């Protein structure tokens, strides 16, 4: 089973990408996990190390795909810590 | 059957997105089409009208998702016509 991790921050652009792209993935081949970075701030470092620069982003086999643009990771950090 | 159209221009970023994201889609639910805009310049207008601004881009149920950034549509046009 391959792993698909979807990083988002609950924004409208994120929700649209989750509903369309994430739900279009083949669940027979991909174990899908959705991580809300604004609610799980401890996952922000992990996302950053994986190469995530903005949300929404999809990590497939350790390769990052930024899907449209909702917010930068810096903005997510600011919203969480500020 | 839903329709998934992947617009690309053969660039490295496009190829990576095609191999990972497009191949991760559920082929039981999505009829997947891949359109090489530099080789099918007549499809550029169609992509533009669908809202595509850069490649690679994935059209799912008429919603455009720009995946990372390979080239702008203007650059693709310039490469084709120049």
């Amino acid at each position: 089973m391959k792993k698909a991790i979807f990083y988002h921050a609950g924004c409208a652009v994120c929700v649209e990408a989750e509903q369309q792209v994430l739900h279009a993935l083949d669940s027979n081949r991909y174990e899908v996990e959705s991580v809300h970075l604004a609610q799980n701030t401890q996952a922000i470092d992990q996302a950053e190390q994986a190469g995530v620069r903005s949300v929404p982003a999809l990590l497939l086999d350790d390769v990052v795909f930024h899907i449209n643009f909702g917010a930068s990771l810096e903005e997510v950090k600011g919203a969480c810590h500020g």
Side-chain angles (χ1 to χ4, degrees), chain A:
Chain A
M1 201 74 160
K2 293 183 178 183
K3 184 97 181 168
I5 306 178
F6 182 73
Y7 290 107
H8 69 104
C11 58
V13 174
C14 295
V15 170
E16 187 170 51
E18 183 168 19
Q19 289 178 343
Q20 295 280 352
V21 181
L22 201 65
H23 290 180
L25 298 183
D26 186 350
S27 57
N28 290 318
R29 291 184 290 133
Y30 285 86
E31 182 191 339
V32 174
E33 183 185 354
S34 184
V35 178
H36 192 315
L37 290 176
Q39 293 178 355
N40 300 279
T41 52
Q42 74 280 7
I44 292 179
D45 281 351
Q46 169 200 336
E48 196 162 33
Q49 281 167 26
V52 173
R53 295 287 169 265
S54 62
V55 288
L58 180 65
L59 197 66
L60 288 178
D61 286 338
D62 298 326
V63 182
V64 178
F65 296 97
H66 296 95
I67 302 172
N68 288 345
F69 181 84
S72 71
L73 213 59
E74 294 306 314
E75 288 171 313
V76 175
K77 284 182 194 175
C80 297
H81 299 303

